[in-house]
Amino acid sequence: MSSVPTGAKSAAPEKKPPSRKLLVFIAAAFWTVMITASLSFNWLHEHKTAIEFATIEARASFNKDLVYRKWAAMHGGVYAPPTEKTPPNPYLAFIPDRDVVTTSGKRLTLINPAYMTRQVHELGKEQNNMAWGHITSLKPIRPENAADEWEAESLRKFEAGAVEVVSLQVMNGRRFLRLMKPMKAEKSCLKCHGHQGYKEGEIRGGISVSAPFEPYAAVASTRIAAVAAAHLFFWLTGLAGLWMASVLLQRSESGLRTSEERLQSILDNAATVIFLKDTEGRYLLVNRRFEELFHVNNDNIRGKTDFDMFPREAADTFRNADQMVLKARAPVEVEETVPHDDGIHNYISIKFPLFNSDGVPYAVCGIATDITERKLVEKKLQENLEALNASQEIGKLGSYDLDIPGNVWTNTRLLDEIFGIDDSFERTVEGWLTITHPKWREVMGKYFMEEVVGRKQPFDKEYQIVRVNDGVVRWVHGLGRLEMGPEGTPVRMIGTIQDITERKLAEEELRDSRERLAATLNALPDLMFEADVDGRFHDYRAPDDSLLYRPPEVFLGKTIPEVLPESVSVPIMETIKRIAETGNSAKVTYDLALPDGKAYFEATMSPKGDLKKPEGRIILLVRNITELIETTHELELHRNRLEDMVEERTRELKETQGRLIESERLAILGHFAGSLAHEIRSPLAVIAAESYILRRISRDEDIRRRIEAIERQVSACSEIIEGVMNLSRTTSGALEMTDIAPLLRNTCASTLFPKSVTFEYRVPDFAVPVRANKVQINILLKNLIKNSLEAMPDGGIITLEAGIVEKDAAKWLEIVVSDTGVGFTEEEADRVFNTLYTTKLKGTGFGLSISKLIVEKHGGTIKAKPGREGGAVFTIALPLSEGDVK
Amino acid sequence: MNQHTCVKRRVLIVDDVDDFCQALREIFELSGYEASVAHSGAEALSAAARNRFNLFLLDFLMPGMNGLELFSRLKEMNPATSALMITGMAAEKDIQEALHMGVKEVFYKPINIEEMLATAERILNVSE
């Protein structure tokens, strides 16, 4: 936004409004005038009222005087005793009856109305606070009644037609309300005044009344004082109000001015285009940016619309957007293209309605930001990103950005693929370590923390990962560059991770095949030659030059026929020819006379490369087979001997096999018999128990005898079962190192014998270590003793002797059991161990076969032979274990 | 045969084979015991909870709880429990374990009745 104006212009107001102080002053003056006017009016009014009241009093006084006078006049005057104060009226001297004497001698003089009025008036005048009258005339009969100046003037006014004169006058320093009315000459008046020439109806004089004004003035003053106080109060309140209003106005004015200035400043300095249009689309206001861009100014744009300024199409778009805003009554964001001088620009505009106080939109305000450049940058950025992604994809290269203190990294899409992760993966160092192959995890953790972060080294390491989504192991090459923070500690690492599995595999394969080749070559027992199809030697390899028929300097560069004798070179050259034709490998065996004697060789020949081309070669691997040939003869001799041995062994094996089959048979039988015996035991137990009960409760001797027979057979069954069980036990059970001596002693000591039998035994009193199974040895001993017992139904002697013997350079425990029973013949002796064979009257035929099985299982032998004096002798030999006997 | 007329000694026979149980019950009754029968470990435990028994005859192999388990449960209820074990077939180590746990004697089926009665007498005389 290079065109943003930098200097902020302070907006000067264009028109100065009338001074606020002047306005306040005018208002104060007006207020003062109003208050003064009101006060004056009130004052005048009060004054007038006082005068009116005084006038009323004066008029009342006048009327009353007039009435009294009328009364006196009605009576033609009254007679009163003359006194000093009331002397006979000299001006009535012309009246004959002015002075009269009553019949009783009392003197009376005529008091005419005027005289009476005057006297009354004089009395009143002496009263300080009363209205008093004064009868007067321009032509008074009595000089004292002459009118004063005011009265004279008033009388003249009467003559001019006035009926009443009222006036406030100062007399003798006091204010009086003076009222004067004319007196017209009436018939009764002329009695006294006729001589003066008056005619009836003429203004003869007047009576003035003077009412003291002080009481009214006092009342008026009090009222005026109150009114004045009220006015003063209102005046002051008004002034204070004005002052306050002025202050508030000043504040709001300055606030408004400031905010207006700020707004104007913001508008003008905004890089965005701002405008205000009325509902009809006419511009009301635009900011400076707008003015600059579209070459208008605020003065000439007013009233114009977009149609006056922009092409029709653009204007239509703007107008539509404006109308949308007005309709929606809410802000709307639109992208607009606006034609500029330098072409079309893209704008993002926020348009919003302005509402008047009634909530009706009256204008649309728009703030439009030019995003042309941003759009271009965005597009470029998008292109760059796509290019980056594409190139990363091609290079199988992902990149990351690790915020070290924040322990979080971001990455490009391809790294997601390389790591097999999605957005939910925890992108931390720990998360990365979980991706690394377990065998690399510790190494990489250490490398990152110590080498990279610790020593501030760039990250550069090839390692294996286990791809998260499918668990496939991949090789990656991680690179990273550190960025340091202000304190010099690493804060960021940006780098790439490349999947190098294919390369690694190829490398490994290459290394493998190289190593294999090297190993093969090194492992070559003898010689290798490289020759061309003509038989010319080009290279050789030999662990030992003594095997060479000729030294290398002689044969290299020469041909096979040139170097080797004909008996060797001919078959080899023939073979080479064949190989050149077929491309198959071939072998040739030959012998050569070497300094150490005749030596046999086997040459394996293979083609290398295209034999039709000059660089085609034949590889000859030559093995010295002299020893092989010599030993072959020896082998021949051995073979014959071996055949004999094999025959012998086979025979032995067959025997062993026969025995194994027998023991296998017994094992199966044992298992089967064991379970059968177990099953039979339960019913047998019931039979035994029931038999017992029957025997107990039966009193019949015959029945008891039969029951006893049943019981005997039950215990016979029981013994058979025991035997079978022993067989089954013999087929299982492990051997372990056991001291057999105590076992022998216990068994011998605990076995019970019938009184007819004598049992003698001699057993070692030292430890006899044998690898044995105690249970089975116990069965073995018991079986042998039982066998002897069964062979002696009529009693006899049983002898058991145990001791250590040496046989075949080994030590054996030999146990010999002999009895004096029925015995057997030499022939029978071989068969006694066969299963179910018995020579005794009693017995199952299990015991001895089981015994043999046990002994064989212990690696020992058991033999039976007839006793020298009848009876039988059983000899058992068990191998002693390592450690021997003391 | 001992004559304990005052208090009869109580025996509980536990075996899943009813015939065998009934026969043994009769045998013990003939010998002056008061004998009861249970056919499983659970039955035996509930019988033992109701009554005191001087001796238990336990079959080793039973469906559900076997004789050894039953014995250890009975011992939990009463540490002084005396028992004989009767078995058709048991491994040597099981027998050793039974004896180790305090079973007085193990008899193989078919049992020798006289021997069993004698053992029972001996045990009860000792424990009295």
Side-chain angles (χ1 to χ4, degrees):
Chain A
M1 310 289 152
S2 53
S3 55
V4 176
T6 46
K9 187 186 108 180
S10 65
E14 286 165 27
K15 275 191 294 181
K16 199 167 171 105
S19 157
R20 178 184 44 80
K21 278 183 184 165
L22 186 67
L23 275 173
V24 171
F25 178 76
I26 290 167
F30 178 70
W31 178 242
T32 308
V33 168
M34 288 295 287
I35 287 291
T36 311
S38 170
L39 186 62
S40 305
F41 172 77
N42 275 287
W43 187 81
L44 284 173
H45 179 72
E46 287 302 328
H47 187 67
K48 216 174 141 194
T49 306
I51 289 173
E52 269 171 18
F53 281 130
T55 308
I56 288 165
E57 191 196 350
R59 203 175 281 146
S61 177
F62 173 86
N63 285 338
K64 208 162 137 202
D65 285 356
L66 214 59
V67 170
Y68 280 115
R69 187 184 162 98
K70 207 169 183 176
W71 179 82
M74 234 163 66
H75 293 89
V78 292
Y79 286 90
T83 60
E84 197 179 335
K85 274 206 162 179
T86 315
N89 188 348
Y91 304 104
L92 296 179
F94 62 93
I95 294 176
D97 289 331
R98 192 189 74 171
D99 297 293
V100 288
V101 180
T102 64
T103 51
S104 59
K106 195 176 182 175
R107 290 168 45 112
L108 294 172
T109 188
L110 181 65
I111 307 293
N112 66 339
Y115 190 19
M116 184 188 74
T117 307
R118 181 174 51 83
Q119 280 204 328
V120 170
H121 284 169
E122 274 163 9
L123 272 175
K125 203 174 181 177
E126 279 160 27
Q127 297 287 315
N128 218 3
N129 290 321
M130 259 185 76
W132 48 273
H134 182 232
I135 190 161
T136 184
S137 174
L138 291 173
K139 291 181 275 184
I141 296 175
R142 215 170 76 98
E144 291 93 331
N145 284 353
D148 60 23
E149 197 179 326
W150 180 78
E151 285 167 334
E153 198 189 324
S154 299
L155 284 171
R156 274 191 290 275
K157 281 180 184 166
F158 295 145
E159 279 172 3
V163 291
E164 192 182 73
V165 173
V166 176
S167 170
L168 200 61
Q169 293 290 318
V170 179
M171 290 186 291
N172 299 327
R174 286 179 70 192
R175 282 193 299 169
F176 289 90
L177 188 285
R178 300 191 72 181
L179 178 134
M180 193 167 177
K181 279 185 179 256
M183 279 192 302
K184 287 180 182 153
E186 288 172 20
K187 207 173 182 175
S188 57
C189 303
L190 295 178
K191 186 182 172 184
C192 304
H193 296 285
H195 69 281
Q196 288 174 296
Y198 291 114
K199 285 174 192 151
E200 203 180 316
E202 271 180 346
I203 302 294
R204 192 197 36 84
I207 297 175
S208 73
V209 178
S210 298
F213 194 65
E214 277 90 1
Y216 297 103
V219 170
S221 291
T222 314
R223 291 179 61 104
I224 284 171
V227 168
H231 276 73
L232 183 66
F233 171 75
F234 284 123
W235 182 62
L236 289 175
T237 309
L239 286 185
L242 267 174
W243 178 74
M244 274 168 68
S246 158
V247 169
L248 289 176
L249 196 63
Q250 184 187 15
R251 281 189 196 161
S252 74
E253 248 177 22
S254 70
L256 190 63
R257 197 162 53 242
T258 312
S259 79
E260 265 176 6
E261 281 167 6
R262 276 186 199 149
L263 182 63
Q264 192 63 40
S265 178
I266 290 166
L267 287 181
D268 280 347
N269 288 298
T272 53
V273 171
I274 301 171
F275 52 84
L276 197 62
K277 288 184 249 180
D278 68 13
T279 51
E280 299 307 313
R282 289 182 294 255
Y283 278 90
L284 298 172
L285 175 84
V286 298
N287 73 337
R288 204 186 315 156
R289 180 82 176 140
F290 191 110
E291 292 176 334
E292 285 164 6
L293 281 176
F294 303 112
H295 315 296
V296 291
N297 62 53
N298 257 314
D299 297 330
N300 65 24
I301 199 169
R302 284 216 181 103
K304 282 189 182 171
T305 68
D306 289 321
F307 294 95
D308 301 325
M309 298 170 56
F310 299 108
R312 187 171 177 80
E313 207 178 313
D316 271 335
T317 323
F318 301 157
R319 182 64 189 145
N320 284 344
D322 294 350
Q323 277 169 338
M324 194 161 73
V325 171
L326 289 170
K327 204 174 161 195
R329 301 167 65 89
V332 169
E333 191 177 295
V334 285
E335 263 196 66
E336 293 172 331
T337 50
V338 183
H340 274 213
D341 295 348
D342 59 353
I344 298 287
H345 278 225
N346 289 302
Y347 276 87
I348 185 143
S349 303
I350 297 186
K351 296 189 168 183
F352 53 94
L354 298 180
F355 298 97
N356 65 15
S357 53
D358 297 332
V360 177
Y362 70 92
V364 173
C365 182
I367 301 174
T369 310
D370 188 343
I371 54 167
T372 314
E373 266 179 64
R374 198 205 300 173
K375 277 247 170 189
L376 284 173
V377 170
E378 265 174 17
K379 197 176 162 219
K380 192 80 195 155
L381 208 62
Q382 186 59 34
E383 281 169 6
N384 284 346
L385 196 64
E386 275 164 17
L388 179 70
N389 273 339
S391 61
Q392 289 204 343
E393 212 153 316
I394 291 161
K396 292 198 174 178
L397 189 76
S399 52
Y400 62 86
D401 184 347
L402 167 67
D403 169 3
I404 294 172
N407 189 18
V408 62
W409 45 273
T410 54
N411 61 279
T412 54
R413 193 179 49 72
L414 202 81
L415 192 58
D416 278 356
E417 270 178 37
I418 292 171
F419 280 169
I421 56 177
D422 55 26
D423 292 343
S424 67
F425 187 79
E426 187 200 327
R427 285 169 169 77
T428 61
V429 171
E430 293 73 26
W432 163 67
L433 282 173
T434 64
I435 303 174
T436 59
H437 193 285
K439 72 180 183 191
W440 282 94
R441 206 163 286 159
E442 202 189 325
V443 176
M444 294 313 294
K446 234 173 158 174
Y447 174 73
F448 175 73
M449 288 315 296
E450 291 174 12
E451 294 292 321
V452 179
V453 177
R455 302 216 177 110
K456 300 172 190 173
Q457 296 293 314
F459 190 106
D460 184 355
K461 196 92 172 166
E462 288 180 358
Y463 57 97
Q464 279 172 293
I465 58 160
V466 179
R467 202 154 60 199
V468 174
N469 54 1
D470 55 9
V472 173
V473 176
R474 303 291 289 180
W475 273 99
V476 296
H477 183 194
L479 285 168
R481 199 189 60 224
L482 286 175
E483 279 180 19
M484 304 302 164
E487 289 109 51
T489 53
V491 292
R492 186 178 183 201
M493 184 165 79
I494 304 173
T496 59
I497 288 176
Q498 186 174 17
D499 188 323
I500 54 163
T501 309
E502 272 76 31
R503 195 195 86 200
K504 268 286 183 192
L505 288 178
E507 271 178 16
E508 256 170 41
E509 214 168 302
L510 190 65
R511 194 172 58 240
D512 273 6
S513 75
R514 270 192 195 140
E515 280 170 1
R516 207 163 37 241
L517 188 64
T520 310
L521 290 177
N522 290 336
L524 272 181
D526 303 311
L527 306 159
M528 191 191 86
F529 299 97
E530 210 176 311
D532 57 25
V533 283
D534 301 326
R536 194 175 300 282
F537 287 107
H538 285 274
D539 196 6
Y540 85 104
R541 189 184 285 261
D544 179 3
D545 281 358
S546 70
L547 285 172
L548 294 172
Y549 182 65
R550 291 282 183 270
E553 59 271 19
V554 173
F555 72 81
L556 280 179
K558 297 235 172 74
T559 63
I560 290 167
E562 284 169 347
V563 178
L564 294 172
E566 203 178 334
S567 62
V568 177
S569 66
V570 169
I572 287 179
M573 285 313 289
E574 275 174 9
T575 310
I576 287 176
K577 210 171 141 192
R578 206 166 59 243
I579 289 168
E581 281 164 7
T582 64
N584 293 334
S585 302
K587 263 185 193 170
V588 175
T589 311
Y590 59 91
D591 55 76
L592 278 173
L594 292 183
D596 297 343
K598 191 175 176 182
Y600 295 87
F601 294 94
E602 183 193 71
T604 307
M605 299 155 70
S606 303
K608 176 189 159 195
D610 188 353
L611 294 182
K612 291 189 178 67
K613 290 182 179 166
E615 65 269 20
R617 293 284 182 271
I618 301 283
I619 302 290
L620 296 95
L621 282 175
V622 178
R623 204 150 64 92
N624 184 351
I625 55 169
T626 313
E627 258 178 68
L628 190 72
I629 297 286
E630 282 169 358
T631 48
T632 307
H633 296 294
E634 225 174 301
L635 273 173
E636 200 73 17
L637 294 171
H638 283 301
R639 205 176 63 191
N640 294 333
R641 252 204 342 245
L642 202 66
E643 269 172 12
D644 296 344
M645 282 166 74
V646 166
E647 247 171 66
E648 200 185 330
R649 288 280 185 275
T650 309
R651 208 170 45 247
E652 281 174 22
L653 207 63
K654 270 184 184 159
E655 282 174 21
T656 315
Q657 206 176 19
R659 278 205 301 281
L660 275 173
I661 288 166
E662 171 75 5
S663 89
E664 188 86 342
R665 201 163 66 89
L666 279 170
I668 294 164
L669 184 65
H671 179 74
F672 169 71
S675 42
L676 185 68
H678 176 235
E679 290 301 319
I680 290 171
R681 269 180 157 167
S682 276
L684 216 52
V686 179
I687 294 169
E690 294 291 359
S691 304
Y692 174 86
I693 296 164
L694 278 176
R695 179 160 56 81
R696 280 282 299 272
I697 61 176
S698 174
R699 297 200 176 83
D700 187 323
E701 193 56 38
D702 191 39
I703 289 175
R704 285 171 67 112
R705 198 165 45 76
R706 287 167 201 276
I707 288 167
E708 276 164 15
I710 292 174
E711 285 182 318
R712 271 197 305 279
Q713 292 313 307
V714 166
S715 41
C717 283
S718 182
E719 273 182 51
I720 293 166
I721 288 164
E722 186 62 26
V724 172
M725 296 295 285
N726 284 344
L727 176 64
S728 104
R729 282 179 197 134
T730 309
T731 56
S732 60
L735 303 184
E736 52 193 16
M737 188 63 89
T738 313
D739 180 7
I740 270 195
L743 197 65
L744 284 170
R745 281 195 295 277
N746 287 346
T747 307
C748 291
S750 67
T751 311
L752 299 172
F753 293 92
K755 290 215 170 90
S756 58
V757 173
T758 309
F759 179 64
E760 290 169 357
Y761 65 94
R762 268 195 300 283
V763 293
D765 53 359
F766 45 80
V768 181
V770 175
R771 274 184 59 77
N773 180 295
K774 280 185 185 174
V775 175
Q776 292 179 10
I777 294 296
N778 201 28
I779 291 168
L780 169 69
L781 296 172
K782 282 195 160 161
N783 271 349
L784 288 171
I785 292 167
K786 195 168 147 227
N787 184 65
S788 295
L789 272 173
E790 283 168 357
M792 304 186 299
D794 301 324
I797 303 162
I798 301 174
T799 316
L800 188 149
E801 278 182 281
I804 308 296
V805 295
E806 264 186 54
K807 197 172 73 182
D808 296 341
K811 286 188 174 172
W812 302 78
L813 168 68
E814 195 179 69
I815 303 166
V816 181
V817 180
S818 50
D819 62 59
T820 57
V822 290
F824 39 73
T825 63
E826 290 278 358
E827 293 81 52
E828 286 168 337
D830 284 342
R831 293 165 62 195
V832 290
F833 298 111
N834 286 2
T835 312
L836 302 181
Y837 177 84
T838 183
T839 58
K840 298 167 295 187
L841 292 175
K842 209 179 159 191
T844 57
F846 275 124
L848 289 178
S849 60
I850 289 167
S851 299
K852 188 173 185 217
L853 210 58
I854 290 171
V855 170
E856 281 172 357
K857 208 175 160 185
H858 284 71
T861 57
I862 181 165
K863 281 173 188 149
K865 61 177 187 192
R868 261 172 279 159
E869 295 149 29
V873 177
F874 290 90
T875 307
I876 297 155
L878 297 174
L880 287 191
S881 274
E882 305 285 315
D884 257 338
V885 198
K886 278 174 241 157
Chain B
M1 205 202 317
N2 289 23
Q3 295 296 323
H4 288 271
T5 45
C6 44
V7 179
K8 278 195 175 177
R9 287 167 306 175
R10 298 174 61 91
V11 178
L12 183 66
I13 299 145
V14 189
D15 196 309
D16 56 319
V17 181
D18 184 55
D19 279 350
F20 186 62
C21 290
Q22 296 308 335
L24 278 188
R25 181 176 59 76
E26 218 170 314
I27 289 167
F28 274 102
E29 281 171 359
L30 282 171
S31 302
Y33 292 85
E34 193 179 312
S36 304
V37 161
H39 297 105
S40 68
E43 264 184 54
L45 286 173
S46 65
R50 284 196 304 273
N51 296 304
R52 203 184 92 80
F53 292 97
N54 302 84
L55 183 66
F56 291 87
L57 269 87
L58 308 176
D59 187 23
F60 195 92
L61 270 176
M62 282 187 290
M65 199 185 295
N66 73 25
L68 270 186
E69 276 174 60
L70 175 56
F71 179 60
S72 68
R73 296 279 291 272
L74 289 169
K75 288 249 292 190
E76 279 170 24
M77 286 168 69
N78 177 14
T81 298
S82 292
L84 297 178
M85 195 78 89
I86 296 170
T87 176
M89 179 171 78
E92 190 70 23
K93 70 170 177 50
D94 289 336
I95 291 167
Q96 292 305 324
E97 193 186 341
L99 294 172
H100 182 74
M101 278 172 65
V103 170
K104 300 290 182 190
E105 192 71 72
V106 179
F107 290 98
Y108 278 100
K109 284 180 183 174
I111 44 178
N112 185 326
I113 309 280
E114 266 95 6
E115 203 180 315
M116 181 195 73
L117 285 173
T119 310
E121 275 300 318
R122 196 173 67 238
I123 290 165
L124 293 180
N125 284 339
V126 169
S127 63
E128 277 162 20

